[in-house]
Amino acid sequence: MNTTHYPIQSLLESDLTPDCLDAFARRQVVQNVWRKKNGQWAIVPEPFIDDWDAQERRKIAEQLRQYLAEGGAVFAALGDRGEIVAFSAVSGGRIGPQQEYADLLELHTDNRYRRKGLGRALFLQCAVWAREHGAQKLYISAHSAEESQAFYRSIGCVDALWISREYAEKEPYDCQMEYVLLQD
């Protein structure tokens, strides 16, 4: 998985124009999802399509600008024409009982660029940034699709020890996860 063709870079507010995600294809055809039943996780069939329209892409671009304004970071992999083909965002603030978590706010790869290691590279960039800014863990309110969960588990994410009530209520089908940031 070579990501050198799509180098990861830190984005500035000026990079996040209202139309910066207009060409971004965020489409996920989901067949199976993880659901907790009787305290145990199980894969269940629940087909749906998760897709962003133009309005949603513009809304996300504005959210990315807001994350930067609040002291967070936004990273992206750029395509041959300078377009964003994958992006991630991490919070500048902390959550959790001891404020130990930085929040992984976004992690998305254009469906035409998946399986190239971009998601992993962006996730790890967020982890490095969060550790350098004092966090002990990343908090992830992760999509429950079978493929999304396989990705997060493959890079070492586990069920969160602490659950954000806000996220659990906002996205009741998400899986609340964490990633321990190894300290030097």
Side-chain angles (χ1 to χ4, degrees), residues 1-3 6 112-119:
M1 291 197 247
N2 187 353
T3 62
Y6 307 100
R112 299 165 294 190
Y113 294 86
R114 291 187 183 145
R115 307 219 184 286
K116 297 181 184 306
L118 298 174

Side-chain angles (χ1 to χ4, degrees), residues 90-107:
V90 62
S91 66
R94 300 288 169 267
I95 60 174
Q98 282 94 36
Q99 303 297 295
E100 68 270 37
Y101 293 94
D103 192 1
L104 183 71
L105 300 163
E106 306 285 349
L107 180 61

Side-chain angles (χ1 to χ4, degrees), residues 53-67:
D53 61 15
Q55 182 178 357
E56 183 69 15
R57 288 191 296 273
R58 295 276 174 121
K59 178 180 162 192
I60 301 262
E62 180 55 36
Q63 286 176 330
L64 294 174
R65 290 174 60 88
Q66 186 64 39
Y67 299 150

Side-chain angles (χ1 to χ4, degrees), residues 6-178:
Y6 307 100
I8 305 300
Q9 68 181 54
S10 181
L11 297 184
L12 304 172
E13 195 172 328
S14 59
D15 298 318
L16 297 167
T17 60
D19 63 349
C20 70
L21 295 175
D22 281 3
F24 195 87
R26 169 54 171 97
R27 181 178 170 84
Q28 185 173 3
V29 179
V30 176
Q31 295 299 322
N32 298 310
V33 296
W34 284 93
R35 294 290 186 262
K36 202 169 225 182
K37 295 185 182 229
N38 302 322
Q40 298 293 325
W41 286 107
I43 296 175
V44 298
E46 192 170 306
F48 66 95
I49 297 173
D50 194 0
D51 202 354
W52 290 349
D53 61 15
Q55 182 178 357
E56 183 69 15
R57 288 191 296 273
R58 295 276 174 121
K59 178 180 162 192
I60 301 262
E62 180 55 36
Q63 286 176 330
L64 294 174
R65 290 174 60 88
Q66 186 64 39
Y67 299 150
L68 286 179
E70 293 169 353
V74 177
F75 302 99
L78 302 181
D80 295 332
R81 296 177 310 280
E83 76 280 16
I84 296 172
V85 299
F87 66 93
S88 61
V90 62
S91 66
R94 300 288 169 267
I95 60 174
Q98 282 94 36
Q99 303 297 295
E100 68 270 37
Y101 293 94
D103 192 1
L104 183 71
L105 300 163
E106 306 285 349
L107 180 61
H108 302 283
T109 301
D110 182 307
N111 54 281
R112 299 165 294 190
Y113 294 86
R114 291 187 183 145
R115 307 219 184 286
K116 297 181 184 306
L118 298 174
R120 178 179 297 269
L122 285 163
F123 180 92
L124 294 174
Q125 185 65 49
C126 286
V128 167
W129 188 92
R131 184 181 68 232
E132 289 173 351
H133 288 81
Q136 298 168 0
K137 301 177 181 183
L138 276 180
Y139 189 87
I140 306 107
S141 184
H143 198 290
S144 62
E146 184 176 18
E147 299 82 5
S148 298
Q149 287 299 299
F151 165 78
Y152 284 114
R153 302 254 177 222
S154 77
I155 56 179
C157 297
V158 296
D159 291 342
L161 296 177
W162 170 81
I163 304 294
S164 165
R165 175 170 282 144
E166 176 186 348
Y167 286 125
E169 289 174 359
K170 181 180 174 188
E171 296 289 347
Y173 294 120
D174 275 8
C175 300
Q176 307 305 309
M177 305 180 85
E178 68 180 42

